[in-house]
Structure formats: structure tokens, C-alpha cells
Amino acid sequence: MKGGSVYRARGKHFTFTILAVICMTIFLWSYEKKPIATTIFSSQDQFILPTSDVLQVGYHNSEEAIKPEGQLFKESTNLPEETDDKTDPSENNVESLDETEGKRENYMTDGENADMQDRSQEHPSVVNTEPDQPVAEESSETIEDDTNIVSSEKKVCDYAKGRWVVDNRRPLYSGFKCKQWLSEMWACRLMQRPDFGYEAYRWQPKDCDMPEFERSAFLERMQDKTIAFVGDSLGRQQFQSLMCMATGGEESDIQDVGLEYGLTAPSGAARPDGWAFRFSETNTTILYYWSSCLCDLVPLNPEDPQSQVAMHLDRPASFLKRFLHQFDVLILNTGHHWNRGKVNANRWVMYIDGKPNQDRRLAMIGNAKNFTIHSITRWVDSQLPSHPRLKAFFRTISPRHFFNGEWNTGGSCENTTPMARGSEVNQNESSDQVIAGAVRGTRVSLLDITALSQLRDEGHISRYSIKASSGIQDCLHWCLPGIPDAWNEILAAQI
């Protein structure tokens, strides 16, 4: 009898062991597949980034000690918010457009955000390469003979990694002559700036040669195509740069086709929402649409000019939805309008799923920006199969270089020596991890210009801005000709 009891006990123990193994196997299989994790959390949970720690990637000015790469620290939460923006952005209001923008909020709460973009984007050794970025790939071939097989694979060009070099063929156009397309406030030669050394450099990728930009060849390649820039005033600078590059700054047979895209000046506005021009000879259209957040902005009361505006974080700008099918190349950018001052001044109210946002985490500006960038990228990616000829790019953030203060507290960028903080970019990851992360795994390409632009603090408008008489320097926008020309050279190469 005792023997039988022992066998029964062992049998029960064996059965229990088998059941435990089966349960553990199912659990591990489920954990690996993550079917629960991807369905429990809503879409807005998936893009909330940590807010407690910030990756130290630079220093505030040239005299601060460089912290070790990868060091984590917490930024003070007692810094003041910017609230200078009292009116909607306009052509003639530099600081209302973007002077208070530039607050990188990738990993920060509102308080942590207030001073971090300067520090995360100004160190010349912060170098920039996105491993997954789409670039001009060249085919590989296999050569076979009687004795062996030799694999010959050509290198892929990483345009984000390289150095600035002197080139006496620069600039690509004259700031004096390109008055038809270039805003006077960005034409530094018209603003009495006396030094122009910043014009004499071109970007040289590290392991390959970037095709030389030649305007007639570019327009022929873009024949019957439409190139659309959608974003903030840094996107407008890139648009104006390309117009000057494509015309050489000379008068050309070009039509204003803004009405075809609804780009007209609203009643009482200082400027239209954008511009569109068509080159008659090649039927190439280049346009710009102003959309600082890339999201859908809808007045809650269209009849009231002071109405609050629904800021739909999960919806693309209506302009994109309406005209995407007409574009062949799309370049998106955002980042500098994501601060509390801008949101409040523009009376924006965050909306999700058509309703006012109730998620306190998403109410933090940095998280809202990150969520919107991912949301818009996913939407564009979802549209690409239906628009096979469209090539979409998301341009990384353009760095700002205010030293010893902000735009309204005496901040300046008076360096005039090119490459004073270095000339080379060697890093293997983008300096803008939010946008790089958003496009990774999608068909949207990365136009990675942050690190190469970080090295060029002497290229800003500086004290020669239209606000110079009031002591305000523009260390956000760039002189043209200048740094945005290199962005367009890289764009043309990636197209």
C-alpha cells in the first residue's frame, strides 16, 4: 500500500511539473510576440518618451567643460517659459515666427525643456549619422569565373557624415540678385553684414562624393514633378534656398501657381499660408506651405478671429490630405513651435480622437510633439502605397545657437569664424532621435541635417536681423546663401 501511495504521489508531482512547463512555454511565447502589450496601450501611450533623464550631447557655450558622451543628467525645472508670441506668425516678425522656438523636448517635461535645445545641439563633436536612413543605394554584383566567385558591393553613401570644405565655386547664387524669391530679412548681404566667409563652404560626405548641384540638370530631372515643403519658417528658408538654387538667382520664366493650392493671403494677413511657383520650361513646381506643427489646426469658432483652435495631434494638416496626391517629393519639418508660449499665444487646444485631450502626460509639450511626429509619419507612410511616385522626407531639426541668454534676454551668436568649433561629423546616430526614430521602419526617408548644421554657428543672421535696432539677434534662422543650401544639395542627392 505504501508503495502505491508513493507512486501516486510521484505521478501527481510529474503531472504538475509537465503542466508548469507547458504554462511557462505559453507565457514565454506570448511575451516574445507581445500581442498583449501592443493592444493594451492606446496609440498615444506608444510614443510618450521618458521625461526624467536627458542625454547630454553638448555644452551651452564654448567655455563649458564637455561632459562625457552618454552621461545622463536632470535639467532644472525652474526655468521660465517663453510667452513672447502674441500674434500669429508673419513675414515681418522674426521672433514671432521662430525666435522662441527651438526648445528640443525629446525627453523632457515643460520645465526641463526651457533651456535644453542649446545644450543638446551646439557641440561640434556631436556628429550625425542615421544608420537606417534611406540613401542613394547602388547595386552590388557578383563576378564568377572558373576558379572563384568575387562579390563586389559598392558602398552606400551616408550624406549625414562628413565635413565642411572650402569651395571657391560657392555660393551657388547671389544674395543680391535673388530678390524675387528670397526674403530680404534672410539676405544678409542686403542687411549690411560685412563678412561673408560662411558662403564659401560645401558639405563633403565622408565616404563618397555628393553629386554637384547643377540647376538645369536638376530641373530636367524634376520635369513635370512637384516638390512640396511643409513645415515652419526653417522649412520656408529651405524652400527659398531651393528657388534661388534652381534659378541661380536670375530672373526666369516662372509662373505663380499659388491659387492652384489655395495659397492666398487671408483677409488681414501679412502674407499667404505659402507659395507655389512653376518653371515653364520643365513644368517643375516648387511650393511651400506653412504648418508649424504639421497637425490639423481647426478654429472652434470660425467666425471669431480670437477663437481657440483645435490642435488635432493625431491628424495631418488638411493641406497634406488635400494635395498629397499631386506631390512627387515631400519634405516635412517641425520642432521650433513646440513650446508653451507658442501654444498659448496661438490659442491652441490639444485634441485627440476628435475630443479635447484628457491625458496629462500628453499635455506636456515634449510628449505632444513626439506623439505628433510619430503620428504624422505613420500617416504619410500609410499613404505611400497609394502614391507610388511620391518620395517623402522628414527633415531633422535645424539647430539654434543662442549663447549667454535667449533671444529676448541678450542671447547672441556673434562668432564670424567658420568651423570655430570643428568641421567634421562622425557619429553613427542622428542628433535628432525623435524624428530618426519616427521614420525608422517606414518608407519615409530621413533628411538628416542637424549635426552638420550644429558646426556652423557663424552662419546665422545674428545682429543683422530686422530686429537689430532693439538689440535682438536672430540665432535661429540662417543667412542665405548659406547652410540651407547644403540641405538642398543633400536632398537632391537623396532624390
Side-chain angles (χ1 to χ4, degrees):
M1 294 298 292
K2 289 184 179 180
S5 298
V6 171
Y7 289 131
R8 283 195 297 272
R10 290 180 176 175
K12 291 179 180 179
H13 180 72
F14 180 78
T15 302
F16 177 81
T17 301
I18 293 298
L19 289 174
V21 171
I22 292 173
C23 291
M24 181 59 70
T25 301
I26 294 174
F27 173 80
L28 291 175
W29 179 85
S30 300
Y31 180 82
E32 183 179 348
K33 295 297 183 180
K34 298 183 181 178
I36 300 176
T38 56
T39 56
I40 286 180
F41 300 106
S42 65
S43 60
Q44 60 202 66
D45 290 326
Q46 296 180 32
F47 304 115
I48 305 296
L49 299 185
T51 60
S52 59
D53 294 324
V54 183
L55 179 62
Q56 170 69 5
V57 292
Y59 59 91
H60 191 56
N61 59 52
S62 60
E63 311 193 336
E64 281 188 64
I66 303 173
K67 290 186 170 62
E69 184 175 354
Q71 175 180 347
L72 294 175
F73 71 101
K74 292 187 179 180
E75 184 69 8
S76 169
T77 59
N78 298 320
L79 298 172
E81 293 180 347
E82 293 176 301
T83 57
D84 67 294
D85 198 0
K86 303 300 181 185
T87 59
D88 290 335
S90 65
E91 173 92 20
N92 298 317
N93 189 346
V94 172
E95 76 268 23
S96 72
L97 274 171
D98 284 305
E99 290 290 359
T100 64
E101 300 168 2
K103 302 300 188 209
R104 286 285 302 278
E105 298 166 355
N106 306 6
Y107 305 91
M108 291 166 271
T109 61
D110 293 346
E112 290 172 312
N113 168 69
D115 191 43
M116 282 307 302
Q117 177 153 330
D118 292 3
R119 314 186 79 173
S120 65
Q121 294 184 340
E122 291 169 4
H123 187 266
S125 67
V126 178
V127 286
N128 183 15
T129 302
E130 172 55 36
D132 297 330
Q133 73 174 3
V135 291
E137 296 186 5
E138 300 184 20
S139 61
S140 60
E141 57 183 357
T142 301
I143 304 172
E144 185 173 354
D145 57 27
D146 295 337
T147 58
N148 56 18
I149 297 177
V150 180
S151 178
S152 175
E153 186 172 326
K154 296 180 181 179
K155 291 183 178 180
V156 175
C157 188
D158 183 352
Y159 298 110
K161 184 184 293 187
R163 60 193 176 96
W164 290 100
V165 297
V166 176
D167 189 334
N168 57 16
R169 295 169 296 177
R170 281 357 185 218
L172 297 173
Y173 56 91
S174 167
F176 280 120
K177 294 182 178 180
C178 195
K179 297 178 181 179
Q180 187 174 359
W181 321 112
L182 180 57
S183 296
E184 182 177 346
M185 62 183 179
W186 294 335
C188 288
R189 285 184 178 264
L190 300 178
M191 299 299 288
Q192 286 73 54
R193 178 167 174 163
D195 64 292
F196 305 103
Y198 62 88
E199 293 182 349
Y201 290 80
R202 66 175 171 83
W203 180 248
Q204 173 61 54
K206 183 176 182 180
D207 297 319
C208 54
D209 289 324
M210 187 162 61
E212 185 74 19
F213 184 90
E214 203 286 311
R215 58 192 180 100
S216 59
F218 175 77
L219 289 172
E220 288 178 10
R221 189 154 56 98
M222 295 292 105
Q223 184 165 358
D224 300 321
K225 291 180 170 57
T226 297
I227 303 170
F229 294 89
V230 179
D232 58 27
S233 61
L234 274 302
R236 180 153 59 103
Q237 283 213 291
Q238 190 174 0
F239 157 75
Q240 291 190 6
S241 164
L242 187 60
M243 286 299 301
C244 290
M245 291 169 66
T247 61
E250 306 288 345
E251 294 288 335
S252 302
D253 186 8
I254 295 176
Q255 302 170 287
D256 184 339
V257 293
L259 286 175
E260 293 183 18
Y261 299 91
L263 300 176
T264 57
S267 176
R271 62 175 176 83
D273 290 330
W275 296 267
F277 299 105
R278 183 167 295 141
F279 292 74
S280 299
E281 186 174 350
T282 60
N283 201 39
T284 303
T285 301
I286 303 177
L287 67 85
Y288 162 78
Y289 177 76
W290 189 88
S291 179
S292 60
C293 70
L294 299 180
C295 57
D296 198 18
L297 297 172
V298 182
L300 297 179
N301 182 1
E303 297 180 358
D304 180 8
Q306 299 301 313
S307 169
Q308 289 186 319
V309 178
M311 184 186 192
H312 294 279
L313 303 181
D314 53 352
R315 298 180 187 175
S318 58
F319 179 83
L320 280 173
K321 296 178 69 175
R322 183 179 177 187
F323 294 106
L324 188 70
H325 67 283
Q326 297 186 30
F327 302 156
D328 297 276
V329 180
L330 171 65
I331 305 96
L332 303 171
N333 89 281
T334 189
H336 289 301
H337 277 257
W338 291 91
N339 63 70
R340 185 59 63 184
K342 288 287 182 181
V343 171
N344 292 341
N346 289 310
R347 302 178 298 279
W348 290 341
V349 180
M350 296 181 188
Y351 270 58
I352 292 289
D353 296 328
K355 300 173 291 186
N357 173 53
Q358 301 298 321
D359 189 326
R360 295 180 64 182
R361 294 171 301 168
L362 201 56
M364 293 186 290
I365 300 296
N367 289 337
K369 182 197 73 169
N370 298 343
F371 171 74
T372 303
I373 288 173
H374 280 82
S375 178
I376 301 307
T377 302
R378 287 187 303 165
W379 178 81
V380 172
D381 183 55
S382 73
Q383 300 300 305
L384 291 178
S386 302
H387 304 85
R389 78 173 192 272
L390 175 62
K391 294 183 178 180
F393 297 84
F394 211 129
R395 202 205 72 213
T396 60
I397 197 166
S398 170
R400 61 206 296 277
H401 292 91
F402 284 98
F403 296 100
N404 302 317
E406 282 300 312
W407 71 272
N408 57 349
T409 59
S412 64
C413 48
E414 298 182 353
N415 172 45
T416 58
T417 304
M419 311 313 137
R421 293 172 176 82
S423 63
E424 193 168 355
V425 172
N426 289 311
Q427 72 183 35
N428 293 318
E429 292 185 355
S430 174
S431 292
D432 190 337
Q433 282 295 294
V434 173
I435 292 176
V439 304
R440 188 175 293 116
T442 72
R443 287 155 289 207
V444 179
S445 300
L446 188 71
L447 182 55
D448 199 351
I449 57 85
T450 303
L452 64 92
S453 304
Q454 285 173 353
L455 303 176
R456 301 300 308 278
D457 63 296
E458 92 288 0
H460 288 294
I461 296 170
S462 185
R463 64 173 63 217
Y464 304 99
S465 72
I466 60 176
K467 295 292 184 178
S469 59
S470 58
I472 294 174
Q473 294 200 17
D474 187 347
C475 304
L476 173 67
H477 298 100
W478 304 92
C479 289
L480 290 177
I483 312 308
D485 302 336
W487 305 350
N488 283 322
E489 289 185 271
I490 295 173
L491 172 66
Q494 290 192 222
I495 292 175

